[in-house]
Amino acid sequence: MNNKAFSIVELIIVIAVIGILAAILIPVFSKIIDKANEKSALSDAKNTLTNYVAYCESNQRSRQDLCIIVEKAKSYYAFIYEASTGELNNSKYNPLTADSLEAAADMLFEANVLVGNNENSMEIPLVIPEQLENVVIYEGYAIQAGNQIISLNKKQIGISLDESYTLTANVFPQKKVLSLTWESKDNNIATVRDGVVTPVSYGETEVVAHYGEVTATCKVIVDEFIEFSGSMAELKALIEDETDNALLLRLMVNVEETDNPALFPIVIPEDKIVRIDFNKTELRYSFTSDDYGIPAFIENNGGDFYMFCPGDPEDDYGYISIEDERIYETYVVESESVGHVLINKNGGFINVGNAMSVALYKKNELSYTVYNIDGFIELDKGDCFNSYGTSLVNSKDGIIKIKDIYFYSPDVAILNYGVIESIEGSLIRGDTIAIENYGLIKTISDGMILSTGGNAIENIGKKAIIKEISGGIIFSSGNNELEMLQKNALVMKDGSTIGAITGGEFKGKEAIVCDESSTIIYGISGGEFRTQVPVRLLAPGKTCIYNEETDMYIVE
C-alpha cells in the first residue's frame, strides 16, 4: 500500500486556496448574516408597530411618527414610522454600532439626526404593553439625513508634565470600513494614543482625531503648576493676563482680602484656561459694610475654569467664599447690590471638581453662589452654600451638570431657566424650595431633594420640562415633627410637563400635586409614594397599591 504524504509545496497550495476561498466567502457570509439580522429586526419593528397602533386605539390617543430601534446580534437597526402615510421605513444608517439600545439612541440624538417633530417630543422611550425587550420606541420623532460628523469632548486642555488626559470622540455614523485614528501635530510637546494625551515638554500643540475624511481638533497646552503664596492683587494679575493662554496654579496659603472692592471681580479672559489646585486652602473676600460689597468674586468671560482640591473629599476641602462679617448680627441692609461668588458667561466653561466648597455669606436674596448666564458648568463632588439667597441660578441659555454635590439655601437651592443635563447622587436642600424649575431638566436619577419649609420640587410653566425621574428621594420634611409632611414632594402647575416617572421615593403631605393643565406624558410606571397617586397620572397597565410594611404606595 502506497501512503504518500503531501509535500510542503502541496500543503502551501492547499492553504493558499483555503485562504483565497475564506477571503471570498467570509464577506459573503457576513453580508448574508447582516441581511438576516436586518430582516429579523424589521419583523420585530412591524410587530412593535402593530402593538403601538392597538395601544393608541385602546387609549383613544392619536398615532404619531415613531423611531423604533431594534437590537439583533449586538447590532442596532432604526426604523421610521410615518403616521401620515402609515409606512415603516428602514434608516440609511443601519446597522448602528453601539453598546446598548440606549447608546444607539443617544448616538442619534447627539448627532442631531433623531429630531422631534412636535412640542411634546422627548428623549424618553415610550413603553407599551407586550413590548419586546430588544426594542425601544421614541414617539414624535423622525430621522433626518446628515453628513459624517466627529466631535471631541474638549476643544482645548491645559495639563502639566506629570498628568495625562483622555480625549473621547463621538462619531456618527460609525462605519465598519473606517477606524478612528489620532495624531499630534508636535510629538515633542505631547503624544496621543487612542485618545490619551501624554505631555512630553512645555509648549502648545494640537491633537487631531481622524475618521475617514472628517476631523476634530483639540488645542493642548503643556505648562507647569505655579506654587502661589502671594496676595489677592497678584492672583488677579496672573488670572487676567491675556498674554498667557493657560495658567496652572497651586495655592500654598490662604489668599484673603477685606474691604477692597476695587480688586473685584477677577475676570478670566475669553479662551484662557485657568486651573487652580486649592491644596486645602481658601480664597476669601470679606467686607464690613455695604460700601465694600463686590459684584462677584470670579467672572468667567468665556474661558475654561477648573477648581479642585486633590485628596479625600471627606476631609480635604478647598474653599472659595464671600463673607459679610455682619452676617450673624442684627442689622439693616442699606444696599441691595448683588454679590455672586462665581459668574459664568460668554459661553465659558466651569468645573467645580473634587472636594471644593463654594460659599456665600451675605444678606441679599439677589446674591447667588453660582450664576450661570450662558455657559456650561460641571459640578462634581463638593458643596454649594448660600446663607440667605439662592445657591445656583441657571439662566435660559445656561447648561449645568450636577453630580455628588451638597446644595444648601434657606431660600431656593436651585433655580433653573435653562438646561440641567442631569442631577445625580446629590443632596439638594432648600428651606423654601429645593428645585424651582422653569426650564429643562433631562434626568433626576438618585440622591435626595429636600425642603424643610416648602415643596421639594416645583415644575412651573409651559417651558418647564423634566424628562425623567428614575430614582432618588424627593422629600418635604418640615423643620420638626409638628411640621412634618406639611408641604408636597412634587408640584406641577401652569402647563408644565414631565416625560416619565420610573422610580424614586416621593414623601410629602401629597406625593404629587399636578394641576389639570400639566401632564406626565408617559405616566408613572414605578416608584414609592407617601400618598395615593391620581389614576390619570399612571402609565397604562400600572397600579398604585398601598404597602403596609413600608407605609408607602407602590406603583408597579
Side-chain angles (χ1 to χ4, degrees), residues 270 299-303 343-350 371-377 393-400 418-419:
E270 186 174 4
E299 180 180 296
N300 183 27
N301 187 32
I343 294 179
N344 192 41
K345 67 179 189 178
N346 195 23
F349 171 79
I350 293 179
Y371 184 25
N372 189 32
I373 296 175
D374 63 358
F376 180 36
I377 297 180
V393 173
N394 189 36
S395 296
K396 66 180 183 65
D397 296 320
I399 302 174
I400 302 272
V419 176

Side-chain angles (χ1 to χ4, degrees), residues 149-155 167-171 180-183 185 206-211 213-219:
I149 61 171
I150 180 173
S151 62
L152 298 179
N153 60 323
K154 290 292 181 184
K155 293 183 179 180
L167 292 170
T168 57
N170 292 317
V171 174
L180 181 67
T181 60
W182 297 85
E183 171 199 8
K185 292 294 187 181
E206 289 183 339
V207 165
V208 183
H210 299 267
Y211 194 77
E213 296 181 355
V214 296
T215 61
T217 302
C218 175
K219 181 169 71 174

Side-chain angles (χ1 to χ4, degrees), residues 135-206:
V135 172
V136 292
I137 309 166
Y138 290 89
E139 189 177 43
Y141 279 88
I143 289 182
Q144 65 179 10
N147 297 321
Q148 184 78 54
I149 61 171
I150 180 173
S151 62
L152 298 179
N153 60 323
K154 290 292 181 184
K155 293 183 179 180
Q156 60 177 14
I157 58 173
I159 53 179
S160 64
L161 278 176
D162 58 353
E163 298 178 303
S164 63
Y165 189 89
T166 301
L167 292 170
T168 57
N170 292 317
V171 174
F172 185 85
Q174 294 187 16
K175 300 178 180 179
K176 292 181 179 180
V177 296
L178 295 178
S179 60
L180 181 67
T181 60
W182 297 85
E183 171 199 8
S184 172
K185 292 294 187 181
D186 190 343
N187 286 310
N188 293 318
I189 302 297
T191 62
V192 60
R193 182 175 181 179
D194 296 330
V196 180
V197 180
T198 304
V200 176
S201 63
Y202 297 125
E204 183 176 324
T205 186
E206 289 183 339

